[in-house]
Amino acid sequence: MKRFFLLVPTLLLATSLVSTAQVDVVKGDGASIRVDLNGAAGSQASKIIENDLENSGYFKAVSSGGEYVVQGNASSSAIQAKLLSSDGNSLLSPSATGDLRRAAHKVANEIIAKLTGKKGFAESRVAFISDKSGHKELYVMDYDGFNILKFTKDGSIVGSPNFSRQGNRIAFTSYRSGYPDVYTLSYPSGGRSRIAGFPGLNSGAAFSPDGSKVALTLSKDGNPELYVMSADGGTPRRLTHTRGGESSPSWSPDGSQIAYTSDEGGRPQIYTISSSGGTGQRLTSSPAYNTEPDWSSESGLIAYSSLSGSQFSISVIDPKGGGGHVVYDDGSCEDPSWAPDGRHLVFSRNSGGRSNLYILDTKTRQAVQLTQDFGNCTEPSWSGR
């Protein structure tokens, strides 16, 4: 599990509304929808689309009837569908080719956009750390836990993955050299380069909204402090000057501020600072230990891990004002990362000595388990769409 004092600390996306003329807005959450595709892969494709629609929080899949119906055909390499209202009115004719799961995710996103005016996250991915191989390595999977691929074989310690909002790069820390250095990895090709290998700690790199810069923790000048540098490497610019230690940076939606963790006041709390430098502003005060902020590019809210008693909970705070509040506290929960929709989070939950990844709907407070029997899975980072 990631802790503030470990050497390895632990999506700008506007809600591009479809034009009003093209949207049949779902009234509230839980609209009933039936997916009934025929063909060689009809049953499998139907289940994937149903799962995507339910995970969005806007729909409830049903086996008969339904306010909306999805019909059509699916093969192993193509889906041709039609979205109908309960009165038989044709609303949309989504189609996709290629890998069945990817095609089904694309169709689900088209349906979500049509009926809600909001973009879905079914085609997004999650980077995370697992010790399944005996070492902590970097993996990437589809948002629903399928198609897990291993991207490092460093045989040491890998941690702090962070997807760029463009979804084409992942920053992470690795001890492959014997020291904690920061690398970036091109996704999905897997090509990597070291961008920070200064003396001391190099860790926790997070991409700016446009992907051109990273904020990260370096201890090259003494204490672990926040710096900003080019995402391709170069000379870092120091942001903080405190007696404490800073970690876990996360950029605001417009890139003007950075949220981070600092123990300059005694125990770790969440702060914000201008991305051009200045004085950090403390955001949290209760409980006594708050860490791992993640700033949503969509909702503008900051999720973080909050220690109460002996376990961590997932909390959310509005940096514009108001106190933080717990949104999930079943088991010890850490490492929250926002989905591109600003409503859902992926996080790591430890129960019975084993850590797995879960998706949380912060509106309904319902959590869905993603990983199982894949070692200890921690430090998830949700890609952009």
Side-chain angles (χ1 to χ4, degrees), residues 250-279:
S250 180
W251 296 74
S252 65
D254 63 1
S256 66
Q257 297 184 77
I258 295 172
Y260 63 98
T261 303
S262 176
D263 66 350
E264 65 171 299
R267 301 195 71 183
Q269 295 291 343
I270 309 301
Y271 290 72
T272 60
I273 191 172
S274 169
S275 58
S276 60
T279 302

PDB file of all heavy atoms in Angstrom, residues 250-279:
ATOM      1  N   SER A 250      -1.375  16.846  -8.400  1.00  0.00           N
ATOM      2  CA  SER A 250      -2.466  16.647  -9.354  1.00  0.00           C
ATOM      3  C   SER A 250      -2.912  18.010  -9.857  1.00  0.00           C
ATOM      4  O   SER A 250      -3.178  18.916  -9.063  1.00  0.00           O
ATOM      5  CB  SER A 250      -3.637  15.908  -8.694  1.00  0.00           C
ATOM      6  OG  SER A 250      -4.697  15.717  -9.617  1.00  0.00           O
ATOM      7  N   TRP A 251      -3.010  18.184 -11.179  1.00  0.00           N
ATOM      8  CA  TRP A 251      -3.288  19.480 -11.790  1.00  0.00           C
ATOM      9  C   TRP A 251      -4.777  19.812 -11.780  1.00  0.00           C
ATOM     10  O   TRP A 251      -5.629  18.931 -11.922  1.00  0.00           O
ATOM     11  CB  TRP A 251      -2.803  19.502 -13.229  1.00  0.00           C
ATOM     12  CG  TRP A 251      -1.315  19.351 -13.391  1.00  0.00           C
ATOM     13  CD1 TRP A 251      -0.584  18.208 -13.230  1.00  0.00           C
ATOM     14  CD2 TRP A 251      -0.383  20.369 -13.772  1.00  0.00           C
ATOM     15  NE1 TRP A 251       0.750  18.455 -13.493  1.00  0.00           N
ATOM     16  CE2 TRP A 251       0.893  19.762 -13.828  1.00  0.00           C
ATOM     17  CE3 TRP A 251      -0.509  21.722 -14.078  1.00  0.00           C
ATOM     18  CZ2 TRP A 251       2.034  20.477 -14.174  1.00  0.00           C
ATOM     19  CZ3 TRP A 251       0.636  22.434 -14.434  1.00  0.00           C
ATOM     20  CH2 TRP A 251       1.890  21.822 -14.472  1.00  0.00           C
ATOM     21  N   SER A 252      -5.084  21.094 -11.657  1.00  0.00           N
ATOM     22  CA  SER A 252      -6.456  21.559 -11.805  1.00  0.00           C
ATOM     23  C   SER A 252      -6.880  21.432 -13.264  1.00  0.00           C
ATOM     24  O   SER A 252      -6.037  21.290 -14.155  1.00  0.00           O
ATOM     25  CB  SER A 252      -6.576  23.015 -11.357  1.00  0.00           C
ATOM     26  OG  SER A 252      -5.826  23.875 -12.209  1.00  0.00           O
ATOM     27  N   PRO A 253      -8.185  21.477 -13.549  1.00  0.00           N
ATOM     28  CA  PRO A 253      -8.654  21.307 -14.931  1.00  0.00           C
ATOM     29  C   PRO A 253      -8.019  22.272 -15.929  1.00  0.00           C
ATOM     30  O   PRO A 253      -7.760  21.899 -17.073  1.00  0.00           O
ATOM     31  CB  PRO A 253     -10.157  21.531 -14.813  1.00  0.00           C
ATOM     32  CG  PRO A 253     -10.497  21.113 -13.432  1.00  0.00           C
ATOM     33  CD  PRO A 253      -9.317  21.531 -12.598  1.00  0.00           C
ATOM     34  N   ASP A 254      -7.787  23.522 -15.511  1.00  0.00           N
ATOM     35  CA  ASP A 254      -7.220  24.499 -16.440  1.00  0.00           C
ATOM     36  C   ASP A 254      -5.701  24.609 -16.341  1.00  0.00           C
ATOM     37  O   ASP A 254      -5.077  25.416 -17.043  1.00  0.00           O
ATOM     38  CB  ASP A 254      -7.852  25.876 -16.226  1.00  0.00           C
ATOM     39  CG  ASP A 254      -7.568  26.458 -14.840  1.00  0.00           C
ATOM     40  OD1 ASP A 254      -6.859  25.806 -14.036  1.00  0.00           O
ATOM     41  OD2 ASP A 254      -8.057  27.562 -14.556  1.00  0.00           O
ATOM     42  N   GLY A 255      -5.080  23.806 -15.472  1.00  0.00           N
ATOM     43  CA  GLY A 255      -3.636  23.801 -15.351  1.00  0.00           C
ATOM     44  C   GLY A 255      -3.057  24.947 -14.555  1.00  0.00           C
ATOM     45  O   GLY A 255      -1.831  25.073 -14.447  1.00  0.00           O
ATOM     46  N   SER A 256      -3.893  25.787 -13.952  1.00  0.00           N
ATOM     47  CA  SER A 256      -3.392  26.953 -13.232  1.00  0.00           C
ATOM     48  C   SER A 256      -2.944  26.633 -11.813  1.00  0.00           C
ATOM     49  O   SER A 256      -2.192  27.398 -11.211  1.00  0.00           O
ATOM     50  CB  SER A 256      -4.460  28.048 -13.182  1.00  0.00           C
ATOM     51  OG  SER A 256      -5.579  27.633 -12.398  1.00  0.00           O
ATOM     52  N   GLN A 257      -3.439  25.501 -11.257  1.00  0.00           N
ATOM     53  CA  GLN A 257      -3.103  25.130  -9.888  1.00  0.00           C
ATOM     54  C   GLN A 257      -2.725  23.653  -9.808  1.00  0.00           C
ATOM     55  O   GLN A 257      -3.040  22.865 -10.706  1.00  0.00           O
ATOM     56  CB  GLN A 257      -4.285  25.391  -8.957  1.00  0.00           C
ATOM     57  CG  GLN A 257      -4.697  26.835  -8.839  1.00  0.00           C
ATOM     58  CD  GLN A 257      -5.802  27.003  -7.824  1.00  0.00           C
ATOM     59  OE1 GLN A 257      -5.570  26.972  -6.613  1.00  0.00           O
ATOM     60  NE2 GLN A 257      -7.033  27.151  -8.317  1.00  0.00           N
ATOM     61  N   ILE A 258      -2.097  23.317  -8.715  1.00  0.00           N
ATOM     62  CA  ILE A 258      -1.723  21.925  -8.448  1.00  0.00           C
ATOM     63  C   ILE A 258      -2.114  21.592  -7.016  1.00  0.00           C
ATOM     64  O   ILE A 258      -1.793  22.333  -6.089  1.00  0.00           O
ATOM     65  CB  ILE A 258      -0.208  21.705  -8.645  1.00  0.00           C
ATOM     66  CG1 ILE A 258       0.171  21.927 -10.114  1.00  0.00           C
ATOM     67  CG2 ILE A 258       0.197  20.297  -8.195  1.00  0.00           C
ATOM     68  CD1 ILE A 258       1.669  21.916 -10.364  1.00  0.00           C
ATOM     69  N   ALA A 259      -2.852  20.503  -6.852  1.00  0.00           N
ATOM     70  CA  ALA A 259      -3.141  19.976  -5.521  1.00  0.00           C
ATOM     71  C   ALA A 259      -2.026  19.007  -5.147  1.00  0.00           C
ATOM     72  O   ALA A 259      -1.474  18.314  -6.015  1.00  0.00           O
ATOM     73  CB  ALA A 259      -4.491  19.274  -5.496  1.00  0.00           C
ATOM     74  N   TYR A 260      -1.699  18.924  -3.861  1.00  0.00           N
ATOM     75  CA  TYR A 260      -0.620  18.041  -3.440  1.00  0.00           C
ATOM     76  C   TYR A 260      -0.764  17.743  -1.956  1.00  0.00           C
ATOM     77  O   TYR A 260      -1.600  18.343  -1.250  1.00  0.00           O
ATOM     78  CB  TYR A 260       0.741  18.668  -3.735  1.00  0.00           C
ATOM     79  CG  TYR A 260       1.018  19.958  -2.988  1.00  0.00           C
ATOM     80  CD1 TYR A 260       1.781  19.972  -1.819  1.00  0.00           C
ATOM     81  CD2 TYR A 260       0.519  21.167  -3.457  1.00  0.00           C
ATOM     82  CE1 TYR A 260       2.038  21.158  -1.135  1.00  0.00           C
ATOM     83  CE2 TYR A 260       0.768  22.356  -2.789  1.00  0.00           C
ATOM     84  CZ  TYR A 260       1.522  22.347  -1.629  1.00  0.00           C
ATOM     85  OH  TYR A 260       1.763  23.522  -0.950  1.00  0.00           O
ATOM     86  N   THR A 261       0.052  16.821  -1.478  1.00  0.00           N
ATOM     87  CA  THR A 261       0.092  16.485  -0.062  1.00  0.00           C
ATOM     88  C   THR A 261       1.346  17.077   0.565  1.00  0.00           C
ATOM     89  O   THR A 261       2.427  17.036  -0.030  1.00  0.00           O
ATOM     90  CB  THR A 261       0.114  14.958   0.136  1.00  0.00           C
ATOM     91  OG1 THR A 261      -1.026  14.388  -0.497  1.00  0.00           O
ATOM     92  CG2 THR A 261       0.086  14.598   1.617  1.00  0.00           C
ATOM     93  N   SER A 262       1.195  17.618   1.773  1.00  0.00           N
ATOM     94  CA  SER A 262       2.347  18.133   2.505  1.00  0.00           C
ATOM     95  C   SER A 262       2.154  17.896   4.002  1.00  0.00           C
ATOM     96  O   SER A 262       1.030  17.945   4.506  1.00  0.00           O
ATOM     97  CB  SER A 262       2.518  19.636   2.259  1.00  0.00           C
ATOM     98  OG  SER A 262       3.582  20.159   3.046  1.00  0.00           O
ATOM     99  N   ASP A 263       3.254  17.626   4.688  1.00  0.00           N
ATOM    100  CA  ASP A 263       3.199  17.502   6.147  1.00  0.00           C
ATOM    101  C   ASP A 263       3.869  18.701   6.823  1.00  0.00           C
ATOM    102  O   ASP A 263       4.321  18.606   7.961  1.00  0.00           O
ATOM    103  CB  ASP A 263       3.832  16.195   6.607  1.00  0.00           C
ATOM    104  CG  ASP A 263       5.334  16.123   6.352  1.00  0.00           C
ATOM    105  OD1 ASP A 263       5.869  17.014   5.642  1.00  0.00           O
ATOM    106  OD2 ASP A 263       5.983  15.193   6.848  1.00  0.00           O
ATOM    107  N   GLU A 264       3.921  19.830   6.115  1.00  0.00           N
ATOM    108  CA  GLU A 264       4.572  21.008   6.698  1.00  0.00           C
ATOM    109  C   GLU A 264       3.876  21.479   7.968  1.00  0.00           C
ATOM    110  O   GLU A 264       4.490  22.130   8.822  1.00  0.00           O
ATOM    111  CB  GLU A 264       4.620  22.153   5.693  1.00  0.00           C
ATOM    112  CG  GLU A 264       3.275  22.724   5.285  1.00  0.00           C
ATOM    113  CD  GLU A 264       3.422  23.985   4.452  1.00  0.00           C
ATOM    114  OE1 GLU A 264       3.998  24.947   4.980  1.00  0.00           O
ATOM    115  OE2 GLU A 264       2.978  23.992   3.298  1.00  0.00           O
ATOM    116  N   GLY A 265       2.585  21.128   8.140  1.00  0.00           N
ATOM    117  CA  GLY A 265       1.872  21.516   9.345  1.00  0.00           C
ATOM    118  C   GLY A 265       1.912  20.472  10.434  1.00  0.00           C
ATOM    119  O   GLY A 265       1.261  20.621  11.475  1.00  0.00           O
ATOM    120  N   GLY A 266       2.643  19.391  10.220  1.00  0.00           N
ATOM    121  CA  GLY A 266       2.741  18.326  11.211  1.00  0.00           C
ATOM    122  C   GLY A 266       2.395  16.976  10.620  1.00  0.00           C
ATOM    123  O   GLY A 266       3.245  16.109  10.500  1.00  0.00           O
ATOM    124  N   ARG A 267       1.128  16.783  10.231  1.00  0.00           N
ATOM    125  CA  ARG A 267       0.711  15.535   9.587  1.00  0.00           C
ATOM    126  C   ARG A 267       0.211  15.849   8.184  1.00  0.00           C
ATOM    127  O   ARG A 267      -0.182  16.987   7.887  1.00  0.00           O
ATOM    128  CB  ARG A 267      -0.370  14.842  10.421  1.00  0.00           C
ATOM    129  CG  ARG A 267       0.074  14.512  11.841  1.00  0.00           C
ATOM    130  CD  ARG A 267      -0.859  13.524  12.503  1.00  0.00           C
ATOM    131  NE  ARG A 267      -0.732  12.183  11.928  1.00  0.00           N
ATOM    132  CZ  ARG A 267      -1.486  11.149  12.291  1.00  0.00           C
ATOM    133  NH1 ARG A 267      -2.435  11.314  13.215  1.00  0.00           N
ATOM    134  NH2 ARG A 267      -1.311   9.967  11.753  1.00  0.00           N
ATOM    135  N   PRO A 268       0.210  14.865   7.306  1.00  0.00           N
ATOM    136  CA  PRO A 268      -0.133  15.118   5.908  1.00  0.00           C
ATOM    137  C   PRO A 268      -1.548  15.691   5.721  1.00  0.00           C
ATOM    138  O   PRO A 268      -2.521  15.176   6.276  1.00  0.00           O
ATOM    139  CB  PRO A 268      -0.025  13.723   5.270  1.00  0.00           C
ATOM    140  CG  PRO A 268       0.929  12.989   6.141  1.00  0.00           C
ATOM    141  CD  PRO A 268       0.656  13.463   7.523  1.00  0.00           C
ATOM    142  N   GLN A 269      -1.629  16.745   4.918  1.00  0.00           N
ATOM    143  CA  GLN A 269      -2.889  17.362   4.532  1.00  0.00           C
ATOM    144  C   GLN A 269      -2.821  17.752   3.058  1.00  0.00           C
ATOM    145  O   GLN A 269      -1.740  17.769   2.451  1.00  0.00           O
ATOM    146  CB  GLN A 269      -3.181  18.599   5.391  1.00  0.00           C
ATOM    147  CG  GLN A 269      -3.400  18.318   6.872  1.00  0.00           C
ATOM    148  CD  GLN A 269      -4.685  17.559   7.158  1.00  0.00           C
ATOM    149  OE1 GLN A 269      -5.583  17.492   6.321  1.00  0.00           O
ATOM    150  NE2 GLN A 269      -4.777  16.976   8.355  1.00  0.00           N
ATOM    151  N   ILE A 270      -3.996  18.083   2.493  1.00  0.00           N
ATOM    152  CA  ILE A 270      -4.065  18.471   1.092  1.00  0.00           C
ATOM    153  C   ILE A 270      -3.899  19.983   0.978  1.00  0.00           C
ATOM    154  O   ILE A 270      -4.544  20.749   1.697  1.00  0.00           O
ATOM    155  CB  ILE A 270      -5.403  18.044   0.462  1.00  0.00           C
ATOM    156  CG1 ILE A 270      -5.684  16.560   0.734  1.00  0.00           C
ATOM    157  CG2 ILE A 270      -5.390  18.331  -1.046  1.00  0.00           C
ATOM    158  CD1 ILE A 270      -4.631  15.608   0.218  1.00  0.00           C
ATOM    159  N   TYR A 271      -3.047  20.402   0.058  1.00  0.00           N
ATOM    160  CA  TYR A 271      -2.799  21.816  -0.227  1.00  0.00           C
ATOM    161  C   TYR A 271      -2.998  22.063  -1.725  1.00  0.00           C
ATOM    162  O   TYR A 271      -3.003  21.125  -2.530  1.00  0.00           O
ATOM    163  CB  TYR A 271      -1.363  22.203   0.138  1.00  0.00           C
ATOM    164  CG  TYR A 271      -1.046  22.235   1.612  1.00  0.00           C
ATOM    165  CD1 TYR A 271      -0.932  21.055   2.350  1.00  0.00           C
ATOM    166  CD2 TYR A 271      -0.835  23.441   2.273  1.00  0.00           C
ATOM    167  CE1 TYR A 271      -0.621  21.079   3.713  1.00  0.00           C
ATOM    168  CE2 TYR A 271      -0.521  23.482   3.634  1.00  0.00           C
ATOM    169  CZ  TYR A 271      -0.421  22.301   4.341  1.00  0.00           C
ATOM    170  OH  TYR A 271      -0.112  22.324   5.684  1.00  0.00           O
ATOM    171  N   THR A 272      -3.124  23.328  -2.078  1.00  0.00           N
ATOM    172  CA  THR A 272      -3.076  23.732  -3.476  1.00  0.00           C
ATOM    173  C   THR A 272      -2.062  24.848  -3.623  1.00  0.00           C
ATOM    174  O   THR A 272      -1.803  25.609  -2.679  1.00  0.00           O
ATOM    175  CB  THR A 272      -4.443  24.223  -3.996  1.00  0.00           C
ATOM    176  OG1 THR A 272      -4.874  25.360  -3.235  1.00  0.00           O
ATOM    177  CG2 THR A 272      -5.488  23.116  -3.914  1.00  0.00           C
ATOM    178  N   ILE A 273      -1.485  24.948  -4.818  1.00  0.00           N
ATOM    179  CA  ILE A 273      -0.505  25.992  -5.095  1.00  0.00           C
ATOM    180  C   ILE A 273      -0.625  26.372  -6.558  1.00  0.00           C
ATOM    181  O   ILE A 273      -1.012  25.536  -7.402  1.00  0.00           O
ATOM    182  CB  ILE A 273       0.929  25.504  -4.767  1.00  0.00           C
ATOM    183  CG1 ILE A 273       1.917  26.663  -4.789  1.00  0.00           C
ATOM    184  CG2 ILE A 273       1.366  24.399  -5.726  1.00  0.00           C
ATOM    185  CD1 ILE A 273       3.316  26.296  -4.279  1.00  0.00           C
ATOM    186  N   SER A 274      -0.322  27.617  -6.888  1.00  0.00           N
ATOM    187  CA  SER A 274      -0.293  28.025  -8.287  1.00  0.00           C
ATOM    188  C   SER A 274       0.771  27.218  -9.025  1.00  0.00           C
ATOM    189  O   SER A 274       1.857  26.980  -8.495  1.00  0.00           O
ATOM    190  CB  SER A 274       0.024  29.524  -8.392  1.00  0.00           C
ATOM    191  OG  SER A 274       0.306  29.878  -9.733  1.00  0.00           O
ATOM    192  N   SER A 275       0.465  26.813 -10.248  1.00  0.00           N
ATOM    193  CA  SER A 275       1.437  26.029 -11.015  1.00  0.00           C
ATOM    194  C   SER A 275       2.637  26.871 -11.443  1.00  0.00           C
ATOM    195  O   SER A 275       3.621  26.335 -11.945  1.00  0.00           O
ATOM    196  CB  SER A 275       0.771  25.406 -12.242  1.00  0.00           C
ATOM    197  OG  SER A 275       0.193  26.406 -13.063  1.00  0.00           O
ATOM    198  N   SER A 276       2.556  28.178 -11.226  1.00  0.00           N
ATOM    199  CA  SER A 276       3.704  29.042 -11.500  1.00  0.00           C
ATOM    200  C   SER A 276       4.513  29.330 -10.245  1.00  0.00           C
ATOM    201  O   SER A 276       5.536  30.020 -10.295  1.00  0.00           O
ATOM    202  CB  SER A 276       3.233  30.364 -12.118  1.00  0.00           C
ATOM    203  OG  SER A 276       2.361  31.054 -11.247  1.00  0.00           O
ATOM    204  N   GLY A 277       4.051  28.804  -9.094  1.00  0.00           N
ATOM    205  CA  GLY A 277       4.770  28.982  -7.841  1.00  0.00           C
ATOM    206  C   GLY A 277       4.031  29.883  -6.875  1.00  0.00           C
ATOM    207  O   GLY A 277       2.952  30.394  -7.169  1.00  0.00           O
ATOM    208  N   GLY A 278       4.577  30.054  -5.694  1.00  0.00           N
ATOM    209  CA  GLY A 278       3.948  30.894  -4.686  1.00  0.00           C
ATOM    210  C   GLY A 278       3.858  30.161  -3.363  1.00  0.00           C
ATOM    211  O   GLY A 278       4.680  29.290  -3.060  1.00  0.00           O
ATOM    212  N   THR A 279       2.825  30.490  -2.592  1.00  0.00           N
ATOM    213  CA  THR A 279       2.628  29.881  -1.280  1.00  0.00           C
ATOM    214  C   THR A 279       1.475  28.892  -1.329  1.00  0.00           C
ATOM    215  O   THR A 279       0.407  29.201  -1.861  1.00  0.00           O
ATOM    216  CB  THR A 279       2.323  30.958  -0.221  1.00  0.00           C
ATOM    217  OG1 THR A 279       3.405  31.899  -0.195  1.00  0.00           O
ATOM    218  CG2 THR A 279       2.156  30.336   1.154  1.00  0.00           C
TER     219      THR A 279
END
